[in-house]
Amino acid sequence: MAEPSLIQDLLSKLEVPIIIVLTLVIVRVLFKKLLDSLAMRGTISVTGKETVLRILDISIIVISFLVLVAQFIEVHTALIAIAGLALVLVFMLIDKIRGFIAYLSLQMDKKIMGKYFEIVLPGFKEPVYGRVAKISSSYCEIEDVFGEKYLIPNTVMYNAVLKPLTPTVVFDIRLKITGEEDLRKLIELFKSFKPEVFRIDDRRTIIRHVGPSRFTIRIVAHPTGPSIRHIEIIDFMSELIGRFKEYDPEVRFVKVY
């Protein structure tokens, strides 16, 4: 007579854990459908989706284990032991936990991927210019306009200030003039100048100096492609020299960012 009673007692204790586990599994299925929909719309990355699901699976396993254990032993004892173990693990793995949280946050923000930014990193005086090409579990890969890559830890990137940026090259060109007639011709030449390599930014291109014999313009231009090659800078300078050769041009490359 003892066996049926023991089995019934065991089944009664397992009833609640089974219901809770089934509920958690249903929640997991519905949450996965939501994440799949967000990933298809580009709101989060596929890697970010998989990471969230991995965390959810671990949480379900831990909760299921605690509920099951609570049916057979004092729940307070189990919770104290698990809490103590969790605290030890947190102190041992605090840096990795911070890195993982930063990685997850960066993965969820799809808006930063593939776009150019001026990146101001905490603790650094000079900003970094480039696009976020890749986010791995420990670092972000930043690619500048020349295709050079920099690896920035996720914990640093997470606290960085990002300012949207269009890749830019800056040149100064000095030209010899003999009078107002030359000045008018030069202005017309600039207005009709359509280079093959870069697109000139008319709003930011400015006249830096006008004198009796010298005319200096700062030209701000943007690449037509995703990156800049050194040969393109040389080609653009050659275009400028050819365009204004009758005015004895002096072209100086200023900077790129």
Side-chain angles (χ1 to χ4, degrees):
M1 297 294 292
E3 270 188 37
S5 176
L6 181 63
I7 293 173
Q8 287 177 357
D9 186 50
L10 181 63
L11 289 175
S12 65
K13 288 184 176 181
L14 289 176
E15 184 178 353
V16 173
I18 289 172
I19 293 173
I20 292 175
V21 170
L22 287 176
T23 303
L24 291 174
V25 169
I26 292 171
V27 170
R28 198 266 187 197
V29 171
L30 295 175
F31 197 67
K32 182 180 182 301
K33 288 184 178 180
L34 174 63
L35 290 176
D36 286 339
S37 174
L38 292 175
M40 287 182 65
R41 286 185 290 178
T43 306
I44 64 172
S45 67
V46 175
T47 307
K49 181 195 77 172
E50 295 299 328
T51 303
V52 172
L53 286 176
R54 198 175 298 121
I55 293 173
L56 184 61
D57 289 340
I58 294 172
S59 301
I60 290 173
I61 292 170
V62 171
I63 293 171
S64 301
F65 174 74
L66 287 175
V67 171
L68 185 62
V69 167
Q71 303 301 313
F72 298 96
I73 65 173
E74 287 290 336
V75 67
H76 301 295
T77 304
L79 286 175
I80 290 171
I82 292 173
L85 178 61
L87 282 174
V88 172
L89 290 174
V90 166
F91 281 114
M92 290 177 61
L93 303 173
I94 186 67
D95 289 334
K96 291 188 178 294
I97 292 172
R98 284 176 182 167
F100 179 74
I101 293 172
Y103 161 72
L104 186 59
S105 300
L106 292 168
Q107 278 287 353
M108 294 291 286
D109 191 359
K110 285 283 289 180
K111 295 178 182 178
I112 69 172
M113 289 296 296
K115 297 181 180 179
Y116 277 90
F117 293 97
E118 176 185 337
I119 305 169
V120 181
L121 301 171
F124 292 81
K125 292 182 180 180
E126 297 295 328
V128 174
Y129 301 97
R131 66 184 185 91
V132 183
K134 178 183 176 184
I135 302 174
S136 74
S137 59
S138 56
Y139 60 82
C140 286
E141 184 179 285
I142 307 299
E143 184 178 9
D144 67 15
V145 292
F146 291 118
E148 297 290 336
K149 293 180 173 61
Y150 305 89
L151 304 181
I152 299 176
N154 288 334
T155 49
V156 177
M157 189 68 180
Y158 178 72
N159 293 301
V161 177
L162 277 64
K163 178 182 177 182
L165 180 76
T166 301
T168 302
V169 283
V170 182
F171 302 87
D172 280 346
I173 179 169
R174 294 179 63 193
L175 303 162
K176 287 184 179 180
I177 57 175
T178 57
E180 290 187 7
E181 186 63 29
D182 281 346
L183 193 56
R184 283 194 292 268
K185 287 181 180 178
L186 281 174
I187 292 173
E188 290 301 320
L189 282 173
F190 269 110
K191 285 182 178 179
S192 60
F193 183 40
K194 303 295 180 184
E196 296 180 3
V197 181
F198 298 132
R199 175 178 56 84
I200 293 179
D201 190 336
D202 296 326
R203 292 177 300 176
R204 297 171 62 192
T205 296
I206 60 172
I207 298 173
R208 298 199 70 200
H209 173 75
V210 179
S213 61
R214 286 287 180 181
F215 179 65
T216 304
I217 291 183
R218 170 150 293 182
I219 299 173
V220 178
H222 307 294
T224 54
S227 62
I228 300 172
R229 295 178 299 168
H230 290 84
I231 190 64
E232 290 175 332
I233 292 177
I234 296 172
D235 288 345
F236 184 73
M237 294 173 74
S238 298
E239 282 190 81
L240 286 172
I241 292 171
R243 178 73 171 180
F244 305 102
K245 60 184 178 181
E246 61 182 290
Y247 298 98
D248 195 15
E250 297 177 12
V251 180
R252 183 173 69 91
F253 171 69
V254 179
K255 62 179 176 178
V256 59
Y257 58 88

